[in-house]
Amino acid sequence: MKQLFSALFIVVMTAATTLPVQAEVTMTCTKTSVQEIAALFDHWNASLATLDPDKVVALYTPYAVLLPTLSNKPRTNYEEIRDYFVHFLEKKPQGKIDFRIIKIGCNSASDTGLYTFTLHDTKGRAQKVSARYSYVYEYLNDQWLIEHHHSSALPEPVKAHKDSRNH
């Protein structure tokens, strides 16, 4: 089921016209759920397991922004995002969500929180990297795609959480 959303936009005219013009635009909002948005990370994570950068990049909009964990360079187009994943996938990454908050809007959603990645070096040794993340998804061409993805290593050491049932 789709919801209709009406918005009032004010269009600024050129310097020759001083009066703003109002126009009503009707948008169709795609219905989604927290579970559907949460599954987008699982799909992304499964695409990492293929070790195919093209399968990963296919999950991003053409104008996506990636602020990656293991690179200082912002990636702002398919070629740059693909280049990052070519090298990232060499580490055979797999992620696990530790904490998340999902918010849903009209044809957009965000998933933010903490995750832990297991990465492998060239000798196959595993290393865990804890990071904070944010994904902003956009419903585009009948599918949810990543419009913005930020990931950064946690600045403080991660402490083991005590199970509250043991107190």
Side-chain angles (χ1 to χ4, degrees), residues 29-92:
C29 298
T30 301
K31 188 168 177 61
T32 190
S33 65
V34 168
Q35 293 79 11
E36 182 179 12
I37 300 306
L40 296 173
F41 173 82
D42 298 333
H43 181 61
W44 179 84
N45 199 35
S47 74
L48 294 180
T50 69
L51 304 179
D52 182 346
D54 294 316
K55 289 189 179 185
V56 179
V57 175
L59 303 177
Y60 290 79
T61 67
Y63 45 82
V65 173
L66 169 64
L67 302 173
T69 312
L70 302 179
S71 172
N72 292 338
K73 179 182 177 186
R75 311 300 171 117
T76 60
N77 60 52
Y78 272 139
E79 293 77 24
E80 292 174 347
I81 293 171
R82 185 183 187 286
D83 176 67
Y84 174 76
F85 282 111
V86 164
H87 301 290
F88 186 62
L89 293 175
E90 291 171 352
K91 300 175 185 311
K92 298 183 176 91

Side-chain angles (χ1 to χ4, degrees), residues 2 30 61-63 78 138-145:
K2 294 188 176 193
T30 301
T61 67
Y63 45 82
Y78 272 139
E138 178 181 355
Y139 195 75
L140 182 67
N141 300 326
D142 296 323
Q143 62 182 333
W144 288 100
L145 295 173

Side-chain angles (χ1 to χ4, degrees), residues 138-162:
E138 178 181 355
Y139 195 75
L140 182 67
N141 300 326
D142 296 323
Q143 62 182 333
W144 288 100
L145 295 173
I146 301 165
E147 176 185 32
H148 174 84
H149 177 191
H150 171 255
S151 181
S152 57
L154 293 177
E156 301 168 5
V158 177
K159 297 176 185 168
H161 296 284
K162 291 183 180 179

